[in-house]
Amino acid sequence: MNADLADFSFLAINIYDRDTNALVDYCQPSVMVEQSGIKIGIIGAIGDCYSSISGDKSQEVYFKTGAQLTALVKAESNELRSRGADCIVYAVHEGQGGYDVSLSDGYVDIVFEGHSHQSYTRKDAKGVYHLQGGGDNDGISHAKLSVNYVNDTAKTTQAKVVSNYVYRDLSDDPIVETLLEKYAAQIETAGRVLGRNDRLRRSDELLQKCAQLYLQAGEERWGGQYDLFLGGGFMSARAPYDLAAGEVLYGDLQNILPFDNQLVLCSIKGKDLKSQFLFTNNSRYYICCSEYGDEMLGSISDTETYYLVTDTYSSTYAPNKLTEIERYDETTFARDLLAKFIEEGGYGTNTVTLSTIPELIAIGNALPKNGETAEKYFVKAKIRSLDNDYYGNVTLEDEEGNTLFVYGISDKNGMRYGEMSTKPQVGDTVILEGTVKRYVPSEGEELIELYFAMLYSIE
């Protein structure tokens, strides 16, 4: 377990064991640390986040939230201050709106929040700062506090989110290096190229496809034994939510569909099938009916038993009233079904049509002054020079010595060159996709450009 590698405490004041009604033994409510002679009490908690956790992962525990959590934090804060804490830091896995402002009445001095993947620093009505650093390593919440020993108060003097662009070049913590070694195989898998997506796919489209793939996988495994009614269930995407056009890596699907929820064959009574899956008002339920299901839609009996393929998030959600029959396996999740679909060319061809640099120059020369093509083109060449290391202005050169200027490079998620975690360097051969522009300045020579190019691959 990763906990065995950690040299720090795991804090959660409100995770309780369902059997014993005691705080779980793998977490503690708080910790006291000392920095530069200042004693800092840190309290940790999780918010009301059941909807983001698979039911079979949390069925042995429950979270004290709302007024119960507030009472726990107040009591712990008083205990820490009685032991000499000069300031109290509250770290909670909850976004804006999940905080009881009464805690700002001297119980906590600053709040580090998480969960909603937002980036913000805000001060509440009582003057206490709340910070969240975004998601996917976009930023780190950073604050400075000063302590007044005369009146025993702490004040936040600076609160900000430090961008990945600033901190990414800092030395890694040793435990990070250990984790990188431990997960080297998974990291390599994340970089596996699956194929090409020919246009932007919104999360709703991706999740609806997953429902269809659930049904297909279930029919292949269980179709000979059961008349499957539908596939799908409650599904949720995560940032960046949408699948960009261009080359698709397995890691792209991991970001959008991070949850390891197993596929499962379930039975359900007709009454619950209608209320929970067919006629639900919840926009996060995505389903695909089989031919059998389509035929039976108008004649579902409340007391009859029907069969569907969902995942463990939906199957363990008590109000769905599902009975598990058999699980698919322990290693196939929604993203794996979608990955296979893309590998088989489901979202577009796995090859691209390359244009040569002379062809693009000719296209550019035919444009009007400062004109730009509507069509995008792919070009493969070596980076000869890097002219701007933030926007990614580069000069490409092919094997015959032909050159082409590129005005700006971004990745498929729109991240500029300077903010990309993996970026091409001088000497790398790349495939870029972009429009062609004939740039004619008021002074100086005109230039044919590949304009705001997207990095397709580094060869």
Side-chain angles (χ1 to χ4, degrees), residues 12-16 18 44-51 53 61-73 90 92-94 97-100 103:
I13 196 172
N14 60 330
I15 302 180
Y16 278 69
R18 288 190 185 277
I46 188 169
D48 189 1
C49 300
Y50 289 107
S51 64
I53 304 172
V61 300
Y62 66 94
F63 310 148
K64 290 190 176 182
T65 59
Q68 287 185 314
L69 175 57
T70 297
L72 288 172
V73 175
Y90 186 33
V92 58
H93 190 102
E94 182 69 278
Y99 173 81
D100 188 335
L103 293 175

Side-chain angles (χ1 to χ4, degrees), residues 81-98:
R81 291 196 190 278
S82 72
R83 289 163 46 198
D86 298 306
C87 61
I88 303 294
V89 174
Y90 186 33
V92 58
H93 190 102
E94 182 69 278
Q96 296 187 61

Side-chain angles (χ1 to χ4, degrees), residues 189-197 209 213 243 246-251 253 335-351:
T189 297
R192 189 175 95 239
V193 177
L194 302 175
R196 176 172 170 75
N197 176 32
K209 173 56 69 175
L213 297 173
L243 184 62
E247 183 181 67
V248 180
L249 306 180
Y250 184 77
L253 303 188
R335 63 177 175 269
D336 298 296
L337 299 178
L338 193 57
K340 181 181 178 183
F341 173 76
I342 294 173
E343 282 183 310
E344 294 172 349
Y347 276 157
T349 176
N350 291 341
T351 61

Side-chain angles (χ1 to χ4, degrees), residues 9-150:
S9 303
F10 286 79
L11 305 181
I13 196 172
N14 60 330
I15 302 180
Y16 278 69
D17 187 289
R18 288 190 185 277
D19 292 332
T20 65
N21 288 317
L23 187 70
V24 294
D25 58 10
Y26 47 82
C27 293
Q28 60 189 72
S30 67
V31 68
M32 184 92 82
V33 298
E34 186 169 335
Q35 293 288 334
S36 302
I38 297 175
K39 292 182 178 180
I40 306 168
I42 306 173
I43 302 171
I46 188 169
D48 189 1
C49 300
Y50 289 107
S51 64
S52 293
I53 304 172
S54 181
D56 62 344
K57 302 294 194 302
S58 60
Q59 58 188 359
E60 296 179 355
V61 300
Y62 66 94
F63 310 148
K64 290 190 176 182
T65 59
Q68 287 185 314
L69 175 57
T70 297
L72 288 172
V73 175
K74 286 181 176 180
E76 193 68 19
S77 173
N78 289 335
E79 169 65 18
L80 289 167
R81 291 196 190 278
S82 72
R83 289 163 46 198
D86 298 306
C87 61
I88 303 294
V89 174
Y90 186 33
V92 58
H93 190 102
E94 182 69 278
Q96 296 187 61
Y99 173 81
D100 188 335
V101 73
S102 70
L103 293 175
S104 299
D105 290 324
Y107 294 100
V108 302
D109 297 301
I110 192 166
V111 186
F112 291 98
E113 299 174 345
H115 181 63
S116 60
H117 294 197
Q118 295 172 295
S119 179
Y120 58 77
T121 60
R122 66 178 182 88
K123 188 164 58 173
D124 66 27
K126 301 298 179 71
V128 172
Y129 274 92
H130 300 244
L131 297 85
Q132 185 174 182
D136 300 314
N137 293 318
D138 288 341
I140 293 178
S141 300
H142 175 74
K144 292 182 179 179
L145 281 77
S146 64
V147 175
N148 187 326
Y149 289 105
V150 176

Side-chain angles (χ1 to χ4, degrees), residues 93-242:
H93 190 102
E94 182 69 278
Q96 296 187 61
Y99 173 81
D100 188 335
V101 73
S102 70
L103 293 175
S104 299
D105 290 324
Y107 294 100
V108 302
D109 297 301
I110 192 166
V111 186
F112 291 98
E113 299 174 345
H115 181 63
S116 60
H117 294 197
Q118 295 172 295
S119 179
Y120 58 77
T121 60
R122 66 178 182 88
K123 188 164 58 173
D124 66 27
K126 301 298 179 71
V128 172
Y129 274 92
H130 300 244
L131 297 85
Q132 185 174 182
D136 300 314
N137 293 318
D138 288 341
I140 293 178
S141 300
H142 175 74
K144 292 182 179 179
L145 281 77
S146 64
V147 175
N148 187 326
Y149 289 105
V150 176
N151 57 15
D152 291 326
T153 60
K155 180 181 179 181
T156 301
T157 58
Q158 183 185 77
K160 63 181 180 179
V161 174
V162 181
S163 168
N164 171 283
Y165 185 62
V166 174
Y167 73 76
R168 67 184 178 196
D169 293 326
L170 299 177
S171 298
D172 286 333
D173 186 285
I175 195 172
V176 174
E177 299 291 348
T178 301
L179 289 171
L180 289 173
E181 293 177 7
K182 178 178 179 179
Y183 292 105
Q186 289 86 340
I187 293 171
E188 184 178 354
T189 297
R192 189 175 95 239
V193 177
L194 302 175
R196 176 172 170 75
N197 176 32
D198 56 19
R199 63 173 175 81
L200 176 69
R201 310 276 174 175
R202 298 296 186 189
S203 58
D204 281 351
E205 180 181 356
L206 300 176
L207 296 174
Q208 188 59 50
K209 173 56 69 175
C210 287
Q212 179 185 351
L213 297 173
Y214 276 23
L215 177 60
Q216 290 178 0
E219 287 178 332
E220 292 173 4
R221 175 69 62 86
W222 299 298
Q225 299 172 265
Y226 301 92
D227 290 323
L228 297 179
F229 198 99
L230 59 80
F234 185 100
M235 298 186 196
S236 179
R238 287 295 184 265
Y241 302 104
D242 307 325

Side-chain angles (χ1 to χ4, degrees), residues 265-283:
L265 170 68
C266 293
S267 63
I268 187 171
K269 291 297 182 181
K271 178 182 179 180
D272 302 312
L273 174 66
K274 289 187 288 186
S275 64
Q276 296 301 113
F277 288 86
L278 296 178
F279 307 125
T280 175
N281 292 322
N282 194 320
S283 62

Side-chain angles (χ1 to χ4, degrees), residues 352-370:
V352 298
T353 301
L354 297 173
S355 300
T356 66
I357 289 179
E359 287 172 343
L360 297 182
I361 296 295
I363 291 170
N365 285 329
L367 293 170
K369 290 183 178 181
N370 294 312

